[in-house]
Amino acid sequence: MYTATVTVPNPSGLHARPASDFVGCAGRFASRLTVKRAGEPGAGLNAKSIVLLLSQGFAQGEEIELTANGADEQACVQALVELVQGGFGEI
């Protein structure tokens, strides 16, 4: 299991287009991936589901915790952290 925390930099948060990019990136990896607000109890939601991702309404400045479990877990989390930190090409 590999976990990292990243802050959402986008002024509009994790809205439809960035969420689509996020899910597309996550789908390239075999590992099971979950996402939740940092510090929130529980296991998190399936980060490969755009519906579940959008339902969380992650806003600018919120810290999200990504956890992957599988053969490519570290590469999966690192790719998503870089995507989020890069502002999904919006900023």
Side-chain angles (χ1 to χ4, degrees):
M1 184 171 358
Y2 187 80
T3 300
T5 302
V6 63
T7 302
V8 177
N10 299 60
S12 298
L14 202 56
H15 61 87
R17 197 198 58 75
S20 177
D21 292 349
F22 186 98
V23 170
C25 181
R28 295 193 320 249
F29 297 93
S31 292
R32 181 178 183 277
L33 179 70
T34 60
V35 63
K36 66 179 183 174
R37 283 180 175 79
E40 190 173 81
L45 299 172
N46 178 359
K48 294 183 179 183
S49 167
I50 194 163
V51 172
L52 293 176
L53 190 60
L54 287 171
S55 74
Q56 294 305 293
F58 295 120
Q60 181 183 32
E62 281 194 282
E63 286 190 330
I64 57 173
E65 182 178 290
L66 306 170
T67 302
N69 192 2
D72 55 2
E73 60 193 26
Q74 189 169 356
C76 177
V77 170
Q78 287 177 339
L80 288 162
V81 165
E82 289 174 13
L83 182 66
V84 173
Q85 286 177 334
F88 300 91
E90 290 186 344
I91 53 174

